[in-house]
Amino acid sequence: MLELHEVVKTYVSGDERVRAADGISLTVEAGELVALYGPSGSGKTTLLLLAAGILRPDSGQVRYAGRDVGAMPEREAAAYRMHDVGIIFQSFHLIPGATALDNATVKLLGRGAARRDARRRAQPWLDRVGIGSKAARHPAKLSAGERQRVAVARALANEPRLLLADEPTGNLDSESGRRVLALLAEICHDQGLAALLATHDPAALDFADRALQLRDGRLSEAPPQRPAISEAP
């Protein structure tokens, strides 16, 4: 479903050139949830933006269902993100003046759905992430964790074939985070959704089909280790 082959992406910061992606190759199959671990600045978000066609690689290829994402004209790339990809941003990107339900309908409306139909299709996703009772609230009246769940519902409401998630549990308590991870894994397996998830959450190890480690723009197949649990003396 998603394939990156020898992808390189370099940023220039002052006199310094930083390779956020340094020859990365990976695949994500339909029905597979892949967790991508790494410290801040390791290149996780860059990798998701490359997969979404928001950034273009300096070299190498990003392919989705056989199509070269990096070579798409901007209009085609925008249609790819609208129809095929669900994106969960770390900073939510919710519309302040819209309710939680209307925020969850954004991509459905962008695809031409009538407002009533879009709301009907989005409400069950708010229910599934545990925020259905607050559908009429605006983002300012929601906690950070609740806003995160709205963002998850929005990404899933248009039933994408590829999900790209940047710290989807970063603002959730452990129980809510596990519930969201379980939901993502269930959807991947039941609906053939391919998902690439950038995370620091060790709970993702319990739900991901594979876990990869990213450091200094380089990918390792060795899965990350769970943090040690300290014992009382």
Side-chain angles (χ1 to χ4, degrees):
M1 185 64 72
L2 176 68
E3 180 182 6
L4 281 69
H5 179 68
E6 296 294 331
V7 169
V8 172
K9 183 64 180 179
T10 302
Y11 295 108
V12 177
S13 178
D15 296 331
E16 187 179 6
R17 294 175 64 84
V18 178
R19 279 201 171 189
D22 191 2
I24 288 178
S25 296
L26 70 86
T27 59
V28 184
E29 303 290 348
E32 184 179 36
L33 174 62
V34 176
L36 187 64
Y37 282 80
S40 297
S42 62
K44 300 191 305 298
T45 297
T46 293
L47 211 58
L48 295 182
L49 295 177
L50 287 164
I54 295 172
L55 293 178
R56 297 178 186 269
D58 299 329
S59 63
Q61 282 193 328
V62 178
R63 303 186 70 85
Y64 165 79
R67 297 155 58 195
D68 189 342
V69 174
M72 288 179 179
E74 183 49 44
R75 179 173 294 184
E76 185 180 352
Y80 159 67
R81 289 189 291 273
M82 179 63 69
H83 293 275
D84 296 299
V85 184
I87 306 176
I88 303 171
F89 294 101
Q90 189 173 2
S91 53
F92 315 139
H93 292 307
L94 300 182
I95 301 169
T99 64
L101 179 57
D102 285 335
N103 266 286
T105 66
V106 166
K107 294 190 75 172
L108 293 167
L109 295 173
R111 293 178 61 173
R115 187 180 185 190
R116 178 177 294 180
D117 182 54
R119 286 181 161 186
R120 178 186 59 80
R121 292 168 60 184
Q123 180 65 53
W125 289 105
L126 291 177
D127 294 337
R128 290 187 73 176
V129 297
I131 199 174
S133 64
K134 299 182 179 180
R137 295 192 183 183
H138 290 77
K141 299 295 184 181
L142 299 173
S143 68
E146 289 167 343
R147 293 196 295 272
Q148 180 74 298
R149 282 181 271 179
V150 174
V152 172
R154 178 185 58 193
L156 296 172
N158 71 324
E159 299 181 359
R161 296 178 64 199
L162 172 65
L163 178 69
L164 304 171
D166 196 358
E167 299 289 354
T169 63
N171 293 286
L172 303 177
D173 59 55
S174 58
E175 181 180 351
S176 297
R178 291 184 68 86
R179 187 161 58 244
V180 167
L181 289 167
L183 172 62
L184 296 182
E186 176 187 342
I187 293 166
C188 284
H189 299 152
D190 291 350
Q191 300 183 17
L193 176 70
L196 182 60
L197 186 153
T199 183
H200 290 97
D201 188 350
L205 290 171
D206 294 331
F207 300 95
D209 298 294
R210 283 190 292 140
L212 305 175
Q213 202 161 26
L214 188 65
R215 184 177 293 274
D216 298 327
R218 295 189 176 186
L219 195 64
S220 169
E221 290 286 341
Q225 299 296 313
R226 287 184 177 276
I229 300 174
S230 60
E231 297 182 0

